[in-house]
């Protein structure tokens, strides 16, 4: 039996965030290992569900310490060797150096690195950014040299990495993000009220402050409109924006609900999905889920986000930090009820035709198992 490891920096207490990919491999008779970071608890999925075994590794979401990176690499090597892993799919640019190189040294014969966004590596300014890049970029080159394929979720990122000499063009494959399960996130009727939703892991560069500023203006014009913010505030890399969120909530411009385990509930009870993110990500999963549920979209004209809006048929693109543009598009949706309904239908159609998770996963499965040689 072939052993495949799916590697990212999910905590061991969390439900694996790629269950469909696990199932796709299992249908091919593959034994799947899902790499997680031990946080004191192992999710019951691994005990009750025989599809994937938990592979405990040492890693960090924001590791800029070279010594810790080397320790992580060695730990991954040990775990890959101990469990006789044949192939590995490594998600996240932060993990590629330690996990891909570690997997290679541990004996994995076919490694796929998935670039689900550039992250902050190439955008952090100042001396700290220069030092981090000086250390990280050579390690990434080695990781991609040792990899069988490097998968990108949008064309802009692929071009960027090729032009910088990080990866050979012949190794590149493309997917439309991580995909969305269109059966789980089924089409839902739009509610009557003008209910806007922002839902993500929240950092300033994901546009939450621009959303709040736009909400203030639209709320004055349409007092019955609602503006919801859902998700945990992530202050690991960027500064926290919790104070601004709490103040806007106190003043009644938005309603902040914290993190959720029920994404579908919030999508069902919203009419428009707004995500003006300029964070360098692949294709945001939160938008794909909103598309699949049939929501009109307002998002940013950036590499990953712009793939989710098709010629204004299902929503609008705004420029980075453009509060005025956000206000204009929000008001347009409120004032054009019939057109908004049609936009929602187009969103659903786009999700089914272009972003279905089974189509995305088939590319990765074929890359790992293609030709039957691993």
């Amino acid at each position: 039996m072939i052993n495949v490891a799916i590697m990212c920096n999910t905590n061991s207490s969390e439900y694996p965030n790629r269950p469909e990919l696990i199932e796709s491999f299992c249908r091919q008779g593959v034994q799947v290992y899902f790499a997680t970071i031990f946080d004191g608890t192992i999710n019951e999925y691994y005990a009750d569900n025989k599809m994937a075994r938990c592979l405990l590794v040492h890693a960090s979401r924001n590791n800029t310490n070279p010594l810790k990176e080397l320790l992580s690499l060695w730990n991954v090597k040990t775990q890959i060797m101990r469990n006789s892993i044949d192939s590995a799919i490594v998600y996240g640019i932060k993990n590629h150096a330690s996990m891909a190189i570690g997997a290679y040294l541990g004996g994995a014969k076919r490694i796929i690195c998935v670039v689900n966004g550039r992250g902050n590596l190439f955008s952090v300014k100042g001396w700290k950014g220069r030092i981090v890049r000086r250390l990280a970029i050579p390690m990434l080159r080695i990781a991609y040299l040792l990899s069988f394929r490097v998968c990108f979720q949008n064309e802009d990122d692929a071009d960027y990495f090729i032009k910088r000499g990080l990866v050979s063009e012949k190794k590149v494959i493309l997917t439309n993000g991580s995909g969305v399960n269109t059966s789980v996130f089924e089409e839902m009727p739009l509610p009557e009220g003008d209910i806007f939703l922002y839902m993500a892991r929240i950092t300033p560069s994901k546009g939450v402050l621009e959303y709040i500023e736009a909400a203030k203006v639209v709320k004055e014009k349409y007092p019955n409109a609602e503006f919801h913010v859902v998700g945990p505030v992530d202050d690991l890399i960027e500064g926290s924006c919790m104070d601004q969120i709490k103040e806007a909530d106190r003043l009644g411009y938005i309603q902040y609900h914290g993190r959720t385990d029920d994404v579908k509930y919030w999508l069902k009870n919203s009419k428009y999905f707004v995500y003006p993110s300029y964070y360098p990500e692949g294709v945001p999963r939160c938008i794909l889920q909103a598309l699949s549920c049939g929501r009109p979209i307002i998002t940013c004209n950036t590499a990953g986000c712009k793939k989710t809006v098709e010629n204004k048929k299902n929503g609008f693109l705004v420029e980075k930090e453009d509060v005025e543009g956000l206000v204009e598009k929000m008001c347009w949706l409120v004032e054009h009820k019939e057109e908004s309904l049609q936009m929602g239908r187009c969103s659903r159609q786009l999700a089914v035709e272009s972003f279905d998770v089974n189509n995305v996963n088939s590319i990765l499965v074929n890359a790992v198992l293609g030709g039957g040689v691993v």
Side-chain angles (χ1 to χ4, degrees):
M1 178 179 283
I2 295 171
N3 295 330
V4 173
I6 300 171
M7 311 188 74
C8 50
N9 49 23
T10 305
N11 288 328
S12 61
S13 62
E14 298 174 352
Y15 189 88
N17 58 6
R18 289 177 170 82
E20 297 90 359
L21 182 57
I22 292 172
E23 292 167 15
S24 294
F25 276 116
C26 288
R27 286 194 292 270
Q28 300 296 321
V30 170
Q31 175 60 62
V32 180
Y33 291 77
F34 196 82
T36 66
I37 303 167
F38 185 64
D39 62 357
T41 307
I42 295 179
N43 191 282
E44 61 186 14
Y45 172 93
Y46 301 103
D48 298 339
N49 191 319
K50 304 304 180 186
M51 286 190 171
R53 297 176 183 173
C54 188
L55 184 72
L56 298 176
V57 297
H58 299 315
S60 170
R61 288 186 57 228
N62 186 32
N63 194 357
T64 56
N65 184 317
L67 178 59
K68 288 184 178 180
E69 192 78 351
L70 286 171
L71 290 173
S72 176
L73 186 156
W74 189 259
N75 170 260
V76 169
K77 168 190 173 292
T78 302
Q79 293 298 329
I80 293 292
M81 187 179 293
R82 182 177 296 161
N83 292 280
S84 302
I85 301 299
D86 300 294
S87 298
I89 300 177
V90 184
Y91 283 88
I93 190 171
K94 296 182 186 72
N95 301 318
H96 287 167
S98 61
M99 290 187 179
I101 297 173
Y104 179 85
L105 294 175
K109 301 176 187 67
R110 187 167 288 189
I111 298 163
I112 314 293
C113 284
V114 179
V115 181
N116 48 345
R118 298 177 211 171
N120 286 312
L121 175 62
F122 301 101
S123 59
V124 175
K125 295 179 172 58
W127 63 269
K128 183 178 180 180
R130 289 194 294 273
I131 291 173
V132 170
R133 282 189 288 275
R134 192 174 291 271
L135 293 171
I137 288 176
M139 294 295 286
L140 285 176
R141 285 199 176 100
I142 294 170
Y144 299 149
L145 185 66
L146 299 176
S147 297
F148 175 64
R149 293 285 184 266
V150 181
C151 175
F152 292 88
Q153 297 189 343
N154 64 68
E155 293 82 354
D156 295 61
D157 285 351
D159 290 343
Y160 185 86
F161 276 58
I162 292 167
K163 286 175 182 175
R164 288 186 69 105
L166 283 165
V167 63
S168 166
E169 187 173 359
K170 66 182 181 181
K171 288 192 174 187
V172 169
I173 56 175
L174 287 163
T175 63
N176 280 339
S178 294
V180 61
N181 190 325
T182 55
S183 298
V184 172
F185 290 90
E186 70 270 24
E187 187 170 13
M188 304 175 186
L190 297 177
E192 287 297 320
D194 292 308
I195 306 169
F196 292 84
L197 175 64
Y198 173 106
M199 182 166 55
R201 184 178 292 275
I202 300 168
T203 63
S205 65
K206 293 188 177 182
V208 67
L209 299 180
E210 288 79 9
Y211 173 78
I212 289 171
E213 289 302 311
K216 292 177 184 178
V217 178
V218 180
K219 187 81 172 170
E220 288 179 6
K221 189 172 182 180
Y222 303 103
N224 292 327
E226 298 178 19
F227 300 87
H228 298 272
V229 176
V230 178
V233 173
D234 185 350
D235 60 0
L236 186 62
I237 298 172
E238 302 178 40
S240 173
C241 50
M242 180 61 87
D243 289 344
Q244 296 97 314
I245 291 172
K246 285 184 175 178
E247 180 65 7
D249 183 282
R250 186 185 69 80
L251 294 171
Y253 298 124
I254 65 162
Q255 297 175 52
Y256 177 58
H257 305 280
R259 66 166 296 149
T260 184
D261 292 321
D262 194 352
V263 171
K264 285 178 65 177
Y265 170 84
W266 291 105
L267 289 170
K268 179 181 179 181
N269 290 284
S270 68
K271 192 169 188 176
Y272 319 111
F273 191 80
V274 184
Y275 186 63
S277 170
Y278 42 94
Y279 180 80
E281 47 200 318
V283 177
R285 185 176 294 187
C286 60
I287 303 182
L288 297 186
Q289 292 164 343
L291 284 178
S292 190
C293 291
R295 269 48 192 161
I297 305 296
I298 301 176
T299 189
C300 201
N301 188 22
T302 52
C305 293
K306 68 184 181 183
K307 288 175 68 76
T308 64
V309 173
E310 190 177 61
N311 299 322
K312 300 181 182 179
K313 290 180 181 178
N314 67 302
F316 299 106
L317 297 175
V318 296
E319 297 305 317
K320 174 182 175 181
E321 300 177 86
D322 183 7
V323 174
E324 211 172 282
L326 267 181
V327 170
E328 178 190 336
K329 300 311 181 188
M330 286 178 172
C331 289
W332 190 95
L333 291 175
V334 171
E335 294 163 4
H336 295 79
K337 297 288 192 286
E338 285 301 316
E339 291 90 338
S340 295
L341 285 170
Q342 182 57 33
M343 280 184 164
R345 297 186 196 104
C346 289
S347 282
R348 172 65 183 181
Q349 183 179 357
L350 181 61
V352 171
E353 292 179 356
S354 299
F355 294 103
D356 187 275
V357 70
N358 294 309
N359 296 333
V360 169
N361 288 342
S362 67
I363 296 172
L364 292 173
V365 171
N366 287 338
V368 172
L369 304 179
V373 179
V374 180

